[in-house]
């Protein structure tokens, strides 16, 4: 039987475990889950975290050019981020590859064909493609969506079965429960307009997205009949437990 394909989007807060540095333990946790699911699932990863990786090593300054500094930090941090993935995944017998994309790549037919062909070859040969936005030439992810939209566009293009967005909450919470400070997860969603009414403008400490960008990503996936799961990536075994429906998370069908 053909394996199901999962696109896993990992936000900066998940990768850092809400600290100021990349967590090797979290990357190992993700790798162990992928290895455990290898017989049934194939994975493509969209990973943030390049800027966070750079901040561990350097401090750059440029007055009035915050976006340019972030682009430079992403350039410095991306190889460090890939090295950490490679070291932790290779210890588990997993092979990794780097794919840097920009939103403009999804607007050109030949680029889309090239992306599909390249990533399919990688997956067929047991390499896990790790996608990030090419921040040196594009600023969309830095300014807006924390890679959520990029993940959704890739999910549609690569015809995945499930888009899992790993974040730092147990899915999307009801507005009333957030107001009462007793977060309650919305478990299944079919109507995105209703969902939009439930969310606030909460944004995570390291990431740049927030729940709005996740709903926008889910809308892109939903139009292609792809389910989006918003799962708490801070917890160990979050993919395994979500697949077994043993934890609270939001499933957008």
């Amino acid at each position: 039987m053909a394996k199901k394909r999962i696109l896993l989007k990992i936000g900066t807060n998940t990768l850092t475990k809400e600290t100021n540095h990349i967590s090797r333990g979290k990357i190992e946790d993700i790798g162990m889950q992928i290895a455990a699911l290898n017989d049934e699932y194939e994975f493509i990863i969209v990973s943030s975290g390049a800027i966070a990786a750079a901040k561990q090593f350097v401090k750059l300054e440029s007055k009035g050019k915050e976006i340019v500094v972030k682009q430079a930090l992403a350039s410095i941090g991306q190889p460090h981020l890939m090295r950490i993935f490679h070291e932790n995944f290779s210890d588990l017998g997993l092979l990794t590859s780097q794919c840097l994309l920009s939103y403009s790549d999804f607007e050109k037919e030949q680029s889309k064909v090239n992306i599909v062909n390249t990533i399919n070859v990688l997956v067929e040969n047991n390499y896990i493609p790790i996608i990030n936005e090419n921040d040196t030439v594009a600023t969309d992810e830095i300014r807006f969506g924390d890679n959520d939209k990029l993940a959704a566009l890739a999910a549609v293009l690569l015809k995945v079965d499930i888009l899992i967005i790993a974040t730092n909450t147990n899915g999307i919470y009801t507005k009333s429960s957030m107001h009462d400070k007793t977060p309650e997860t919305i478990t299944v969603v079919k109507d995105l307009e209703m969902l939009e009414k439930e969310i606030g403008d909460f944004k995570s400490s390291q990431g740049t997205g927030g729940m709005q960008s996740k709903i926008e990503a889910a809308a892109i996936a939903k139009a292609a009949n792809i389910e989006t799961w918003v799962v708490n990536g801070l917890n160990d075994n979050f993919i395994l437990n979500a697949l077994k429906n043993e934890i609270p998370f939001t499933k957008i069908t």
Side-chain angles (χ1 to χ4, degrees), residues 35-101:
L37 293 165
N38 192 47
D39 290 339
E40 299 175 71
Y41 296 91
E42 57 191 27
F43 280 82
I44 297 160
I45 293 174
V46 171
S47 176
S48 302
I51 292 173
K55 285 180 177 178
Q56 296 175 222
F57 304 101
V58 299
K59 182 178 181 180
L60 300 181
E61 294 182 2
S62 180
K63 290 183 179 180
K65 296 182 178 180
E66 183 181 356
I67 290 294
V68 177
V69 170
K70 288 184 175 180
Q71 287 178 299
L73 286 170
S75 176
I76 294 166
Q78 185 64 28
H80 287 292
L81 180 64
M82 288 304 303
R83 174 176 53 81
I84 297 168
F85 268 110
H86 170 73
E87 289 173 354
N88 283 273
F89 277 33
S90 62
D91 288 344
L92 298 163
L94 301 173
L95 304 170
T96 58
S97 60
Q98 173 181 264
C99 301
L100 294 178
L101 303 177

Side-chain angles (χ1 to χ4, degrees), residues 34-253:
I34 291 174
L37 293 165
N38 192 47
D39 290 339
E40 299 175 71
Y41 296 91
E42 57 191 27
F43 280 82
I44 297 160
I45 293 174
V46 171
S47 176
S48 302
I51 292 173
K55 285 180 177 178
Q56 296 175 222
F57 304 101
V58 299
K59 182 178 181 180
L60 300 181
E61 294 182 2
S62 180
K63 290 183 179 180
K65 296 182 178 180
E66 183 181 356
I67 290 294
V68 177
V69 170
K70 288 184 175 180
Q71 287 178 299
L73 286 170
S75 176
I76 294 166
Q78 185 64 28
H80 287 292
L81 180 64
M82 288 304 303
R83 174 176 53 81
I84 297 168
F85 268 110
H86 170 73
E87 289 173 354
N88 283 273
F89 277 33
S90 62
D91 288 344
L92 298 163
L94 301 173
L95 304 170
T96 58
S97 60
Q98 173 181 264
C99 301
L100 294 178
L101 303 177
S102 300
Y103 290 122
S104 60
D105 294 325
F106 293 88
E107 298 171 354
K108 305 169 189 172
E109 287 305 315
Q110 189 57 53
S111 294
K112 291 195 290 185
V113 170
N114 293 342
I115 293 167
V116 170
N117 289 343
T118 300
I119 289 181
N120 282 344
V121 168
L122 289 167
V123 172
E124 286 165 12
N125 286 276
N126 298 314
Y127 278 81
I128 300 168
I130 300 176
I131 299 169
N132 199 349
E133 183 170 7
N134 187 359
D135 289 324
T136 303
V137 298
T139 61
D140 292 345
E141 180 261 336
I142 290 174
R143 290 179 187 271
F144 303 115
D146 199 27
N147 275 338
D148 294 324
K149 182 181 177 182
L150 183 70
L153 292 171
V156 172
L157 186 62
L158 299 167
K159 298 180 179 178
V160 309
D161 295 285
I162 306 169
L163 166 60
I164 297 179
I165 299 179
T167 186
N168 59 344
T169 62
N170 295 330
I172 301 172
Y173 300 137
T174 64
K175 185 184 291 185
S176 60
S177 71
M178 288 295 288
H179 184 266
D180 296 336
K181 298 183 179 179
T182 55
E184 179 184 336
T185 301
I186 303 168
T187 54
V188 179
V189 175
K190 294 183 179 179
D191 187 342
L192 286 178
E193 288 187 10
M194 290 290 290
L195 185 61
E196 286 210 0
K197 294 176 182 177
E198 290 287 346
I199 68 164
D201 59 358
F202 170 78
K203 288 192 176 184
S204 52
S205 57
Q206 293 279 354
T208 57
M211 284 304 163
Q212 182 61 44
S213 73
K214 288 161 182 54
I215 291 175
E216 291 169 2
I220 293 169
K222 183 179 174 68
N225 296 314
I226 296 169
E227 281 195 356
T228 299
W229 297 5
V230 182
V231 183
N232 193 333
L234 298 178
N235 297 326
D236 290 344
N237 295 317
F238 65 95
I239 306 168
L240 293 169
N241 291 334
L243 287 167
K244 292 185 284 188
N245 221 28
E246 292 181 351
I247 55 172
F249 69 97
T250 299
K251 182 183 293 186
I252 301 167
T253 62

